[in-house]
Amino acid sequence: MTSPVSLEIAEIDLDAIAGFEGRVVLICEPDGKLSQPARRVNRLTKGALERFLGSERFSNMKEGDVIDIAYPTGMAALSLQVIKLSRRAPKSVARKAGGTIGKWKYNKDLLVIAGALKEVEDLLLGLVLRVYAFTAHLTAEEKTEGAVTAMVSKPDDVSPDAILALAEGVFFTRDLVNEPSNILTTTEFANRLQGLSDLGVEVEVLEEADLEKLGMRTLLAVGQGSASPSKVVVMQWKGGGKEAPFALVGKGVVFDTGGISLKPAAGMEDMTMDMGGAGTVSGVMKTLALRKAKANVVGLVGLVENMPDGKAQRPGDVVKSMKGDTVEVINTDAEGRLVLCDVLWYAQERFKPVGMINLATLTGAIIIGLGHEMAGVFSNNDELADAFLTAAKTEGEGAWRMPLGEGYDKLLKSSVADMKNVGGRPAGSITAAQFLKRFVKDDVPWIHLDIAGVASLKSPTDLAPKGATGWGVLALNRLIVDGYEA
Ligand code: BES
Ligand code: MN
Ligand code: ZN
């Protein structure tokens, strides 16, 4: 498990600057005025800082940009990094600047002289998030070591625990998503979730016999070709009063070969991230527990593996969902919706949630539509959709509303069952959402988030190295903070 770097908040100690042996980051105002610690750095470096701040190079830098001065004269530091950032920089700029600091791989201590920066928590969150590295299987890799100390004008206003609660949730998601499928089996996934009980989350694992009894045939059908047993894990965080919980539901396909409708070999290895929805739900639950959220939230994940096998389901099979509706399985590669429909129905029957959001790496079509910038947002409720879009915007996580409509729903008509599991190529992400909507009660405010394009990336972002992003943990946590917490 990847832990966030250790983080200490300290008051400004001018005398500690000269002897600090790691990397020193100094935040400087865009107007080039020297703050008190900057004056100290300038004196130590015999005026080098002031020369730089007066240079064209500095004036050409954008807010959040960094320049690196190696082995600065007069300081014990390995490097002095000057970052241009106004003390009133908005959260998003501060967070991105933190990411820029965190991008440098280091294994030495880091001193961030943040001074009077207002959004210092965002700067530090960005830093901590960007330092993440998935090194579990690198035998020779030097592990990232060293602590971060932030010198700030008002240490009492900064809570490292609040920052770390967010980072640990995001890291939990990223580790799950990055983990290869021979290690993160359905059983291993459930075991890791059981670890959340140490934080006060009530965790239950429903096994195949339980799912059979509940009638979750569409979910079981997806997993029946795999040696790994299908499971549903229920995680309850009861931090609120007596009110019904908000439900989060995640697609947890630990590997998606496509099943008998086998995927092409090229790129199939990417399908190790097909449990991204379940990973995000898990990360949110961890953050809620760590920060002792005053809300009731239940997370449910459907864990299966989609494999071709003598026992696997076939194209043309007809299976009955827990709701009772029958589904003609035209394509065994459209398996996510078959998993989710049973878990969505179970979540509503058991918990009568005040609202419900499911997350899934559901369709390749959403990548064609929105690329890797935004997740698709499908909803039956404008108020909830707007609240989520606002939360996502606040946290800098891309999200874009997509339509639903009866015309799309018609494309799911089957002649042998109540519906088929695919609607053809046109509007593939929307027909997938329409399929899910059939399993959502009309009076339950609901959002489906198609995160196929954003859960894991081939190149780094401002706040994550390449691989799992942890998209959605911050936005969903924000939605709970702003709308469902006492
Ligand atoms: N897990 C995939 C969707 C996916 C694609 C996730 C690319 C991440 C990156 C999903 O189960 C799937 O195979 N969807 C099919 C649906 C089709 C058969 C209707 C697809 O998108 O091709
Ligand atoms: Mn598939
Ligand atoms: Zn899939």
Side-chain angles (χ1 to χ4, degrees), residues 469-482:
T469 59
W471 185 97
V473 174
L474 299 178
L476 289 166
N477 176 65
R478 167 69 46 202
L479 180 79
I480 300 294
V481 171
D482 288 345

Side-chain angles (χ1 to χ4, degrees), residues 172-212:
F172 192 43
T173 301
R174 287 182 185 171
D175 279 354
L176 289 165
V177 172
N178 283 328
E179 198 69 271
S181 305
N182 59 328
I183 293 172
L184 194 75
T185 59
T186 54
T187 302
E188 172 65 13
F189 202 144
N191 288 346
R192 291 192 191 185
L193 296 186
Q194 247 154 354
L196 292 176
S197 58
D198 296 344
L199 302 176
V201 180
E202 284 176 32
V203 185
E204 267 165 84
V205 182
L206 307 182
E207 303 291 349
E208 281 184 349
D210 305 313
L211 305 178
E212 200 77 66

Side-chain angles (χ1 to χ4, degrees), residues 240-272:
K242 293 235 171 323
E243 70 278 8
F246 195 93
L248 300 173
V249 175
K251 167 181 172 180
V253 176
V254 295
F255 195 77
D256 181 13
T257 64
I260 297 298
S261 312
L262 194 63
K263 285 182 182 296
M268 200 199 276
E269 69 279 7
D270 292 345
M271 286 302 115
T272 187

Side-chain angles (χ1 to χ4, degrees), residues 218-223 251-261 263 271 273-275 302 304-307 313 329 331-342 360-363 421-422 432 435-436:
T218 57
L219 180 147
L220 286 165
V222 173
K251 167 181 172 180
V253 176
V254 295
F255 195 77
D256 181 13
T257 64
I260 297 298
S261 312
K263 285 182 182 296
M271 286 302 115
M273 54 69 97
D274 208 20
M275 33 52 67
V304 303
E305 186 179 40
N306 190 19
M307 293 291 254
Q313 72 174 334
V329 180
N331 188 323
T332 65
D333 197 12
E335 85 296 340
R337 61 200 79 180
L338 299 174
V339 174
L340 285 173
C341 70
D342 274 344
T361 48
L362 202 65
T363 66
N421 76 329
V422 293
F435 183 96
L436 298 179

Side-chain angles (χ1 to χ4, degrees), residues 10-27 35-45 49 72-81 109-115 149-152:
E11 31 184 67
I12 295 187
D13 177 359
L14 296 177
D15 293 332
I17 296 174
F20 189 84
E21 289 185 352
R23 183 152 62 94
V24 176
V25 176
L26 181 67
I27 294 178
S35 63
Q36 199 191 24
R39 279 201 297 276
R40 172 61 65 97
V41 169
N42 189 49
R43 185 141 57 77
L44 292 169
T45 58
L49 181 65
T73 315
M75 296 175 69
L78 291 176
S79 106
L80 169 65
Q81 291 188 319
D109 291 344
L110 177 59
L111 174 65
V112 181
I113 306 172
T149 304
M151 284 187 186
V152 301

Side-chain angles (χ1 to χ4, degrees), residues 145-483:
E145 279 167 26
V148 175
T149 304
M151 284 187 186
V152 301
S153 310
K154 292 188 188 148
D156 293 343
D157 290 358
V158 184
S159 159
D161 287 350
I163 298 165
L164 294 175
L166 295 170
E168 289 207 35
V170 172
F171 284 18
F172 192 43
T173 301
R174 287 182 185 171
D175 279 354
L176 289 165
V177 172
N178 283 328
E179 198 69 271
S181 305
N182 59 328
I183 293 172
L184 194 75
T185 59
T186 54
T187 302
E188 172 65 13
F189 202 144
N191 288 346
R192 291 192 191 185
L193 296 186
Q194 247 154 354
L196 292 176
S197 58
D198 296 344
L199 302 176
V201 180
E202 284 176 32
V203 185
E204 267 165 84
V205 182
L206 307 182
E207 303 291 349
E208 281 184 349
D210 305 313
L211 305 178
E212 200 77 66
K213 245 184 257 152
L214 287 163
M216 293 202 197
R217 283 297 326 155
T218 57
L219 180 147
L220 286 165
V222 173
Q224 75 193 24
S226 170
S228 294
S230 299
K231 294 169 197 280
V232 170
V233 182
V234 181
M235 298 166 269
Q236 296 186 69
W237 173 253
K238 297 177 177 169
K242 293 235 171 323
E243 70 278 8
F246 195 93
L248 300 173
V249 175
K251 167 181 172 180
V253 176
V254 295
F255 195 77
D256 181 13
T257 64
I260 297 298
S261 312
L262 194 63
K263 285 182 182 296
M268 200 199 276
E269 69 279 7
D270 292 345
M271 286 302 115
T272 187
M273 54 69 97
D274 208 20
M275 33 52 67
T280 303
V281 171
S282 308
V284 176
M285 297 310 294
K286 181 155 189 175
T287 288
L288 295 175
L290 282 169
R291 66 174 186 79
K292 301 196 167 53
K294 291 188 174 57
N296 294 332
V297 179
V298 57
L300 302 101
V301 295
L303 306 179
V304 303
E305 186 179 40
N306 190 19
M307 293 291 254
D309 175 77
K311 294 204 193 78
Q313 72 174 334
R314 292 155 290 257
D317 282 5
V318 173
V319 286
K320 191 176 227 153
S321 66
M322 179 180 171
K323 181 185 173 193
D325 292 357
T326 55
V327 181
E328 181 188 9
V329 180
I330 299 291
N331 188 323
T332 65
D333 197 12
E335 85 296 340
R337 61 200 79 180
L338 299 174
V339 174
L340 285 173
C341 70
D342 274 344
V343 185
L344 287 168
W345 192 254
Y346 176 71
Q348 294 165 95
E349 290 285 287
R350 176 164 168 196
F351 294 105
K352 313 269 180 289
V354 292
M356 180 163 71
I357 297 183
N358 74 257
L359 295 98
T361 48
L362 202 65
T363 66
I366 201 69
I367 306 175
I368 304 303
L370 300 176
H372 298 285
E373 297 296 319
M374 307 235 176
V377 179
F378 301 83
S379 182
N380 65 357
N381 184 291
D382 291 345
E383 207 182 317
L384 180 60
D386 288 345
F388 180 77
L389 290 168
T390 302
K393 191 160 199 178
T394 306
E395 297 297 337
E397 293 180 326
W400 195 259
R401 183 104 184 244
M402 300 284 288
L404 291 164
E406 222 170 287
Y408 300 110
D409 188 66
K410 285 202 189 102
L411 301 171
L412 297 171
K413 204 171 155 33
S414 159
S415 49
V416 298
D418 297 334
M419 70 196 86
K420 50 184 186 177
N421 76 329
V422 293
R425 273 175 57 86
S429 300
I430 308 176
T431 52
Q434 292 292 162
F435 183 96
L436 298 179
K437 186 172 180 292
R438 289 178 175 230
F439 297 87
V440 177
K441 298 179 184 182
D442 285 335
D443 59 350
V444 177
W446 158 77
I447 298 176
H448 153 53
L449 297 172
D450 194 334
I451 62 170
V454 295
S456 184
L457 302 178
K458 300 256 183 258
S459 40
T461 67
D462 291 340
L463 300 183
K466 76 180 205 156
T469 59
W471 185 97
V473 174
L474 299 178
L476 289 166
N477 176 65
R478 167 69 46 202
L479 180 79
I480 300 294
V481 171
D482 288 345

